[in-house]
Amino acid sequence: MLSSLREMSDKMLVPDSTLERKRTRNLVNIRKYNIDDEYKNIGKGKSYFVKTYGCQMNVHDSENIKAILEEMGFNEASDMEKADLILLNTCAIRENAHNKVFGMLGRIKHMKASRPDIKVGICGCMAQEEGVVSEILSHYRWLDLVFGTHNIDRLPAVLYKALNNKKLEVEVYSCEGDLIEDMPVKRDSKYKAWVNIMYGCDKFCTYCIVPFTRGKQRSRRPHDILSEVKKLKEDGYQEVTLLGQNVNAYGKDLGNYDMSNLLEDVAKIGIPRVRFVTSHPWDFTDEMVDIIAKYDNIMPYIHLPLQSGSDRVLKLMGRRYTKESYLKLFDRIKNTVPNVSITTDIIVGFPGETLEDFEDTLDVVRHCEYDSAFTFIFSPREGTPAAKMKDEISLKEKEDRLHRLNDLINKYSNKSNQKYLNKVVPVLLEEVSLKNDDMVMGYTETMKLVNVKASKDLIGKIVNVKITDVKTWSMDGAICE
Ligand code: 5AD
Ligand code: SF4
């Protein structure tokens, strides 16, 4: 595929999965974001719409993309149908994420038939996939621009070229570029902020596309992270979430400063709520658990992906822990951090997963009684080792296992929520409830969604709420005077 992709791409910069797999020892350059004056007015009088798929990392990238577009003079459109420029910030984690984007492109092509002047671009993780870009070059030549996860800062230049040359502009780097500081950001919330602490992942779990689409692990310098958090506190933010594909490995590429040091330094800044995602059980140190327990403003909420409870499957997944070591870590967290809530991710139907393997997963769920879990059927991703493993389990069997797992997960979610009934807990109120105009929604320290009968004036504040009703996915509450 590579040679034909290269031929088709006539001097475009297209992704190359062989290069994406490589890890170099090259030092990462750090540079400050800068936009040339010539790009600053090209969006004047025009509007944009960014549609985001996937994880929090993508949500935060979109916040950067929106701010860059506004520096170029564009305004945000209230919906896609009205926009002059549409960008799809895509996710590649499972087949259905792909399908959603290609489905959306069908819809947009229709729109473009009646409004030929609209410009359409693809960015994010799918743009880093060789197969996707090949598909775009063969069947979606009507698109205007494609850029990847490593060169978001190049958006002004790529868009400028696409507008001037009036043809599809593709610029995707296969190797990670510099670490870019001071990227502009248009945050979705005035109270909660995402803060990147690292980019990329070197774990190479055998099912996962992320090490290809996001490149090698690169930690931001502690000073840059801490300055960003201090500024957020000054601006009145109540909560920061430290973001990375594998935050526990933070600092491994820096030397003498790790995630427990960072968490402690961030907590000391005194912002009311500190969170972090996503953890890998492999790098979760005892020091980290102790720091989480020590600081009241580090939230007692931990997402600890299990993926499978079977040692045999964990080995095939390349996860580097066993059922026993996972449970040991789980118990240590539960016994050290008061009232901690722990959630997880689980994949069913990994190639070769037997009923016995699946029972091991259920066994771990029964022990852990997770507060909630994201559960998935294995989806083969092109270029990953697991995609080549023999997979003889029928879809029907995989769906049956998913249902059985979800039933168990829901039982424990409900059980953990029930413990909140009539309790008083602090809730950060965020916005008017989607379901009821008279209610305001927010989250507990443990990340439980609560709809509260409260005045809209309290939005942005942390208030004490008495829980009056508990459902499987949310709770209702009333302000406690
Ligand atoms: N198939 C199914 N689920 C996957 N995940 C990652 N890759 C795949 C895949 N190929 C799940 C993992 C991960 C979560 C973000 O998505 O459970 O933790
Ligand atoms: Fe999707 Fe992973 Fe990319 Fe996030 S990093 S957008 S989950 S593929």
Side-chain angles (χ1 to χ4, degrees):
M1 183 202 297
L2 199 60
S3 60
S4 61
L5 178 55
R6 293 243 170 82
E7 276 158 32
M8 273 189 291
S9 61
D10 49 41
K11 294 205 192 88
M12 292 173 175
L13 208 50
V14 297
D16 175 337
S17 60
T18 315
L19 288 177
E20 287 184 330
R21 194 177 296 127
K22 281 210 175 105
R23 287 298 182 264
T24 64
R25 289 184 172 270
N26 298 350
L27 279 181
V28 179
N29 282 321
I30 303 174
R31 111 182 124 71
K32 296 236 183 263
Y33 172 83
N34 174 46
I35 177 169
D36 284 356
D37 282 343
E38 65 175 320
Y39 302 137
K40 280 194 175 155
N41 279 320
I42 65 177
K44 218 169 188 166
K46 299 203 181 91
S47 64
Y48 72 88
F49 189 84
V50 180
K51 174 132 183 82
T52 310
Y53 299 84
C55 65
Q56 293 96 334
M57 190 67 76
N58 256 23
V59 171
H60 187 42
D61 284 350
S62 287
E63 293 184 331
N64 292 133
I65 289 169
K66 289 177 187 179
I68 293 174
L69 291 172
E70 297 199 0
E71 280 195 338
M72 296 175 75
F74 289 92
N75 287 311
E76 187 163 12
S78 54
D79 61 69
M80 195 164 76
E81 273 70 19
K82 296 195 183 108
D84 303 301
L85 167 68
I86 300 170
L87 287 182
L88 304 185
N89 189 10
T90 61
C91 169
I93 200 95
R94 283 172 295 275
E95 182 76 34
N96 64 349
H98 263 220
N99 295 345
K100 274 189 207 157
V101 169
F102 282 115
M104 180 57 85
L105 284 181
R107 225 179 101 188
I108 296 174
K109 192 177 178 193
H110 240 79
M111 280 167 54
K112 206 162 159 130
S114 58
R115 289 204 298 138
D117 286 343
I118 56 173
K119 302 290 167 201
V120 185
I122 297 276
C123 57
C125 289
M126 277 172 68
Q128 292 292 149
E129 288 187 283
E130 203 177 295
V132 168
V133 174
S134 161
E135 174 85 5
I136 288 173
L137 292 175
S138 323
H139 301 297
Y140 296 85
R141 280 269 175 177
W142 56 267
L143 281 168
D144 299 281
L145 67 154
V146 177
F147 61 98
T149 58
H150 301 308
N151 61 338
I152 290 175
D153 63 311
R154 293 270 308 153
L155 169 58
V158 179
L159 183 53
Y160 181 78
K161 275 201 254 172
L163 295 174
N164 277 347
N165 301 342
K166 298 198 167 46
K167 69 174 179 59
L168 172 59
E169 194 61 45
V170 179
E171 188 182 294
V172 180
Y173 299 172
S174 300
C175 292
E176 58 288 335
D178 301 334
L179 265 186
I180 298 156
E181 288 299 337
D182 292 346
M183 284 264 265
V185 55
K186 184 185 181 194
R187 298 193 187 271
D188 293 338
S189 163
K190 283 190 281 195
Y191 321 112
K192 302 202 311 185
W194 308 110
V195 174
N196 274 124
I197 61 167
M198 61 196 296
Y199 302 92
C201 178
D202 290 344
K203 283 282 183 285
F204 286 99
C205 301
T206 58
Y207 51 81
C208 189
I209 193 84
V210 173
F212 299 81
T213 62
R214 293 275 172 178
K216 89 169 174 186
Q217 177 179 318
R218 291 146 289 149
S219 300
R220 279 181 78 195
R221 299 308 179 255
H223 167 80
D224 293 323
I225 299 168
L226 297 173
S227 306
E228 186 173 343
V229 176
K230 276 182 199 143
K231 174 83 177 47
L232 287 164
K233 182 172 181 250
E234 281 160 25
D235 290 347
Y237 276 81
Q238 300 289 312
E239 179 174 308
V240 291
T241 302
L242 308 180
L243 274 185
Q245 299 303 341
N246 173 19
V247 289
N248 310 64
Y250 173 79
K252 287 198 165 202
D253 50 330
L254 290 180
N256 262 339
Y257 191 89
D258 68 10
M259 185 60 180
S260 63
N261 303 126
L262 181 70
L263 262 183
E264 178 154 39
D265 285 344
V266 170
K268 280 182 181 161
I269 291 172
I271 204 150
R273 289 183 165 196
V274 178
R275 300 186 187 277
F276 56 92
V277 279
T278 279
S279 296
H280 187 304
W282 170 248
D283 293 310
F284 214 117
T285 61
D286 286 353
E287 288 76 19
M288 253 189 83
V289 182
D290 293 339
I291 293 290
I292 297 166
K294 181 172 164 194
Y295 287 90
D296 284 347
N297 62 341
I298 302 180
M299 295 297 98
Y301 165 76
I302 291 167
H303 188 63
L304 195 68
L306 168 68
Q307 313 301 4
S308 168
S310 148
D311 286 349
R312 204 181 65 80
V313 174
L314 285 171
K315 201 159 191 181
L316 287 172
M317 289 177 160
R319 289 291 285 178
R320 311 182 205 197
Y321 54 83
T322 59
K323 175 181 177 182
E324 193 192 338
S325 63
Y326 180 94
L327 290 177
K328 202 168 149 214
L329 172 64
F330 182 96
D331 289 346
R332 176 155 160 72
I333 297 172
K334 277 273 173 188
N335 294 332
T336 316
V337 183
N339 299 319
V340 68
S341 131
I342 303 184
T343 59
T344 199
D345 290 342
I346 296 172
I347 299 176
V348 301
F350 189 81
E353 181 191 68
T354 62
L355 257 183
E356 209 185 334
D357 293 321
F358 176 63
E359 289 295 340
D360 276 336
T361 299
L362 296 181
D363 208 40
V364 176
V365 173
R366 280 187 209 103
H367 175 96
C368 295
E369 302 195 357
Y370 294 106
D371 283 74
S372 76
F374 297 103
T375 55
F376 313 100
I377 289 180
F378 168 73
S379 170
R381 310 314 298 132
E382 198 182 319
T384 61
K388 295 190 205 87
M389 293 179 191
K390 209 161 179 188
D391 180 8
E392 285 170 333
I393 317 160
S394 70
L395 181 61
K396 162 96 180 47
E397 175 59 29
K398 290 177 187 174
E399 285 169 349
D400 282 352
R401 288 182 197 176
L402 187 69
H403 286 146
R404 276 183 68 195
L405 175 63
N406 284 345
D407 285 348
L408 196 61
I409 293 286
N410 292 346
K411 180 177 120 185
Y412 293 122
S413 289
N414 209 309
K415 184 173 166 193
S416 78
N417 283 358
Q418 290 300 336
K419 292 187 197 138
Y420 284 73
L421 193 61
N422 295 323
K423 290 241 167 74
V424 176
V425 286
V427 173
L428 168 56
L429 296 178
E430 291 181 16
E431 54 187 77
V432 173
S433 163
L434 291 175
K435 288 195 186 138
N436 184 341
D437 266 2
D438 296 335
M439 310 271 263
V440 177
M441 58 77 70
Y443 286 90
T444 63
E445 297 193 333
T446 50
M447 210 58 168
K448 309 273 183 192
L449 172 63
V450 190
N451 289 302
V452 188
K453 256 205 155 3
S455 153
K456 294 178 184 60
D457 300 341
L458 291 173
I459 290 178
K461 303 220 157 40
I462 297 172
V463 292
N464 281 332
V465 170
K466 180 164 184 182
I467 303 300
T468 51
D469 192 14
V470 173
K471 303 154 187 173
T472 308
W473 313 117
S474 68
M475 306 176 187
D476 287 343
I479 298 278
C480 236
E481 301 304 336

